[in-house]
Amino acid sequence: MIFRQLFDRESCTYTYLFGDPATGEAVLVDTVREHVGRDLALLDELMLKLSAVAETHVHADHVTGAGELRKRTGARCHVPRLGGAPCADVPVGDGDVVQVGAVALCVLATPGHTSGCVSYLVSFGAGNPDRVLTGDALLVRGCGRTDFQEGDAGRLWDSVHGRLFALPDATLVYPAHDYRGMTVSTIGEEKRHNPRLGGARTRPEFIALMAALDLPAPARIAEALPANRACGDPGPERM
């Protein structure tokens, strides 16, 4: 399996590329519109054809590159069914699989940051899943906020503890964002060391902690939410 972790400095977003070298097919997860050129150049260098673009949720801090990538490559957009994005070619929900060659992204419903968040449990061929893309549900030593887009701290706790922390401890955790230079973790590490969701923290303590954050709105939310509900489609004027 070909795997790359890419980064957007402005929004601290990670984009993930998975490819099957045998079939030449690839999928990109959580793209950023400003980096469409970078992503297409990398696909070309690796001799991969983009057949799918997937989202962990409708982001509020950047505009996805999914619509533009769809126009340029014919890739199909996979967006969580509950995310409020009618632009999706394939609405996905719990238990669905995004299959790209021998790469399988199994959808885990992990709502809480928003009502429509999902994670993707990744496997290749006949191998067992060894990594999970957690979106904003579980960050390295943190988690996404829960104060907009029908976020709910109790649901987030249940998603992380019931779905993600139920995975084997060795499962690699790849989040949608990181603000401190952390690129990857494991389920076992987060169960032990995540200051919000791990260790001895209780569900009521977590709910109280999230309610007291008092964070400013994301700087680009007014632009990003409507754009991302349209898969970030730039429209004909930008073609």
Side-chain angles (χ1 to χ4, degrees):
M1 179 173 68
I2 296 171
F3 171 66
R4 298 291 185 272
Q5 182 184 46
L6 307 168
F7 188 63
D8 171 58
R9 187 177 301 276
E10 180 182 352
S11 63
C12 295
T13 297
Y14 285 124
T15 295
Y16 295 99
L17 166 66
F18 294 91
D20 180 350
T23 65
E25 296 177 85
V27 55
L28 282 164
V29 181
D30 286 340
T31 60
V32 175
R33 188 168 65 189
E34 288 80 2
H35 294 299
V36 164
R38 174 201 67 187
D39 298 345
L40 290 172
L42 180 59
L43 288 161
D44 186 56
E45 290 170 355
L46 298 175
M47 295 183 290
L48 294 171
K49 174 179 171 53
L50 188 66
S51 59
V53 185
E55 305 285 351
T56 56
H57 61 292
V58 174
H59 295 268
D61 57 356
H62 70 273
V63 176
T64 178
E68 192 161 350
L69 286 162
R70 175 170 58 188
K71 285 191 172 186
R72 295 196 190 186
T73 68
R76 303 180 80 194
C77 294
H78 297 68
V79 186
R81 185 174 292 112
L82 300 179
C87 62
D89 299 306
V90 184
V92 297
D94 193 62
D96 291 339
V97 177
V98 180
Q99 190 76 42
V100 177
V103 179
L105 277 62
C106 181
V107 178
L108 304 178
T110 50
H113 168 60
T114 76
S115 60
C117 286
V118 303
S119 299
Y120 293 102
L121 188 60
V122 184
S123 59
F124 183 73
N128 292 324
D130 70 345
R131 68 198 68 194
V132 61
L133 310 183
T134 54
D136 284 21
L138 180 64
L139 306 180
V140 179
R141 308 299 192 267
C143 66
R145 58 197 291 178
T146 58
D147 57 341
F148 57 82
Q149 288 178 266
E150 300 178 322
D152 184 297
R155 291 189 77 191
L156 181 56
W157 175 276
D158 295 341
S159 293
V160 172
H161 281 259
R163 305 304 302 277
L164 298 176
F165 282 0
L167 298 172
D169 281 0
T171 305
L172 297 169
V173 171
Y174 286 98
H177 299 282
D178 186 80
Y179 308 96
R180 295 174 295 175
M182 306 287 280
T183 59
V184 62
S185 182
T186 67
I187 291 294
E189 280 185 42
E190 296 310 310
K191 286 164 69 173
R192 292 189 299 273
H193 303 302
N194 192 296
R196 292 186 177 180
L197 290 153
R201 177 79 66 184
T202 67
R203 189 178 189 272
E205 288 172 347
F206 175 72
I207 292 172
L209 181 155
M210 298 304 288
L213 290 180
D214 192 26
L215 298 171
R220 296 182 65 184
I221 188 170
E223 171 196 11
L225 284 185
N228 290 334
R229 289 177 179 135
C231 291
D233 196 323
E237 71 277 4
R238 291 194 52 182
M239 293 301 291

